């Protein structure tokens, strides 16, 4: 077998991460055909197929799945050696996406915990909606994401579970002969959809009094006494309380936060530990 070209290995890893030659090309600044040619060259040097292609999907073969682990190790080792020789920062960059629902009030503690647990990494955290973060993760833009598992169609590793509760400020009062004053995110939010379904099943008429673009905006509106929202208990702002029993509101399920990662085992363990100890 001839020597393995790092450029070919990087192309293979990008295709494996994104399940797309086109997306891999976007990440490397190459055309789809150029990426396809690189994969073909790598397979010729290995003498085996790494990817199974069809008009609708790109999947790893059994050998490809095993080789992916080795390819990542070779790339990481190369980059570490190159960093030492050039005198640049040897710490690996960790791109972490965290759902608004998962971050909550514990995000500062989580970041501090990760900085302590991963001194060899430079941490970059982005917060946003679960659906967008997971899409970007699949496109290879994040090394790991922690999101609501209910918002995507795959399971992931459980980071933590949280009780969903009907939340209002301690000074807020609602008379149940009036429409339920809903504070929530936009219609694309699965928690909003769940809230509406539960209220409809209970025969409770509701009206929107505040629609936010982030969990922090919803927290601010509830704290200001605008209405009632559905939040994870971990996200309940100071000065607020669970009003479900007080107003006879329908029971809510638990919500599950899941980790999806392509990082090595120690990094995944550090992320899980930071969330489980802080939330």
């Amino acid at each position: 077998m001839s020597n393995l070209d790092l450029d070919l290995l990087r192309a293979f890893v990008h295709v494996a991460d994104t399940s797309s030659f086109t997306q891999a090309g976007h990440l490397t600044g190459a055309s789809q055909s150029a990426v396809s040619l690189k994969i073909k060259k790598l397979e010729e040097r290995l003498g085996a197929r790494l990817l199974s292609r069809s008009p609708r999907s790109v999947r790893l073969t059994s050998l490809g799945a095993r080789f992916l682990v080795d390819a990542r190790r070779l790339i990481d080792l190369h980059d570490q050696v190159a960093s030492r020789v050039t005198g640049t920062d040897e710490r690996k960059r960790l791109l972490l996406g965290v759902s608004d629902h998962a971050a909550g009030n514990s995000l500062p503690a989580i970041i501090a915990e990760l900085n302590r647990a991963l001194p060899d990494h430079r941490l970059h955290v982005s917060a946003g909606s679960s659906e967008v973060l997971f899409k970007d993760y699949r496109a290879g833009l994040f090394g790991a994401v922690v999101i609501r598992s209910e918002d995507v169609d795959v399971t992931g590793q459980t980071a933590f579970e949280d009780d969903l509760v009907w939340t209002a400020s301690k000074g807020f009062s609602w008379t149940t002969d009036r429409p339920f004053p809903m504070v929530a995110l936009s219609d694309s939010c699965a928690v909003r959809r769940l809230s509406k379904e539960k209220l409809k099943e209970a025969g409770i008429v509701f009206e929107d009094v505040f629609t936010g673009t982030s969990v922090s905006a919803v927290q601010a509106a509830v704290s200001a006494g605008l209405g009632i929202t559905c939040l994870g208990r971990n996200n309940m702002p100071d000065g607020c309380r669970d009003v479900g029993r007080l107003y006879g509101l329908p029971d809510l399920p638990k919500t599950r936060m899941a980790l999806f990662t392509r990082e090595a085992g120690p990094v995944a363990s550090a992320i899980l530990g930071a969330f489980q100890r802080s939330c």
Side-chain angles (χ1 to χ4, degrees), residues 7 19 25 28 43 46 58 101 108-109 121 123 130 135 137 139 150 153-154 177 205 230 246 252 256 277:
D7 187 43
S19 299
T28 59
E43 289 177 331
L46 292 173
V58 178
H101 292 288
H121 286 73
L123 191 62
S130 294
K135 179 180 178 181
Y137 169 75
E150 296 91 341
D153 58 357
V154 284
D177 59 333
V205 177
C230 174
L246 175 64
L252 294 168
R256 177 176 173 273
R277 284 188 288 271

Side-chain angles (χ1 to χ4, degrees), residues 183-210:
V183 174
L185 296 175
S186 65
D187 283 330
S188 63
C189 175
V191 174
R192 175 192 174 89
R193 294 195 296 270
L194 171 67
S195 302
K196 291 170 67 174
E197 289 170 5
K198 291 293 184 180
L199 293 171
K200 287 178 180 178
E201 290 172 0
I204 298 174
V205 177
F206 57 87
E207 64 177 358
D208 290 311
V209 297
F210 181 87

Side-chain angles (χ1 to χ4, degrees), residues 66-260:
R66 296 194 300 272
F67 182 71
L68 180 60
V69 176
D70 293 327
R72 292 192 197 281
R73 289 175 179 169
L74 286 170
I75 292 170
D76 287 344
L77 179 60
H78 170 273
D79 291 346
Q80 291 171 14
V81 172
S83 295
R84 282 196 292 271
V85 171
T86 59
T88 56
D89 192 344
E90 297 179 24
R91 294 182 300 164
K92 182 179 178 181
R93 193 179 188 199
L94 172 58
L95 299 174
L96 174 65
V98 182
S99 163
D100 276 347
H101 292 288
N105 302 325
S106 302
L107 187 57
I110 291 168
I111 293 175
E113 174 82 10
L114 286 173
N115 281 329
R116 288 192 296 269
L118 299 171
D120 296 332
H121 286 73
R122 293 179 292 120
L123 191 62
H124 179 86
V125 179
S126 296
S129 71
S130 294
E131 291 179 347
V132 172
L133 290 174
F134 187 63
K135 179 180 178 181
D136 288 345
Y137 169 75
R138 295 188 67 179
L141 302 182
F142 289 105
V145 292
V146 178
I147 58 178
R148 287 187 73 244
S149 64
E150 296 91 341
D151 293 340
V152 296
D153 58 357
V154 284
T155 305
Q157 302 177 64
T158 299
F160 68 96
E161 291 186 335
D162 197 8
D163 295 319
L164 288 174
V165 294
W166 298 108
T167 303
S169 68
K170 291 180 179 179
F172 177 80
S173 178
W174 171 51
T175 56
T176 54
D177 59 333
R178 294 185 177 183
F180 176 92
M182 178 177 285
V183 174
L185 296 175
S186 65
D187 283 330
S188 63
C189 175
V191 174
R192 175 192 174 89
R193 294 195 296 270
L194 171 67
S195 302
K196 291 170 67 174
E197 289 170 5
K198 291 293 184 180
L199 293 171
K200 287 178 180 178
E201 290 172 0
I204 298 174
V205 177
F206 57 87
E207 64 177 358
D208 290 311
V209 297
F210 181 87
T211 302
T213 57
S214 66
V215 170
S216 60
V218 169
Q219 291 172 318
V222 169
S223 297
L226 287 180
I228 303 172
T229 193
C230 174
L231 281 175
R233 193 176 296 278
N234 186 58
N235 283 334
M236 187 182 296
D238 292 338
C240 290
R241 58 178 175 163
D242 178 352
V243 296
R245 184 172 298 178
L246 175 64
Y247 294 125
L249 297 172
D251 292 337
L252 294 168
K254 287 183 177 292
T255 184
R256 177 176 173 273
M257 305 301 164
L259 169 67
F260 297 87

Side-chain angles (χ1 to χ4, degrees), residues 4-18 24-25 27-28 35 38-39 42 67-68 71-72 74-80 82:
L4 296 178
D5 188 326
L6 265 294
D7 187 43
L8 304 185
L9 293 179
R10 292 186 196 276
F12 168 64
V13 169
H14 284 313
V15 173
D17 287 343
T18 62
L27 294 174
T28 59
V35 174
K38 290 178 181 180
I39 300 302
L42 179 60
F67 182 71
L68 180 60
R72 292 192 197 281
L74 286 170
I75 292 170
D76 287 344
L77 179 60
H78 170 273
D79 291 346
Q80 291 171 14

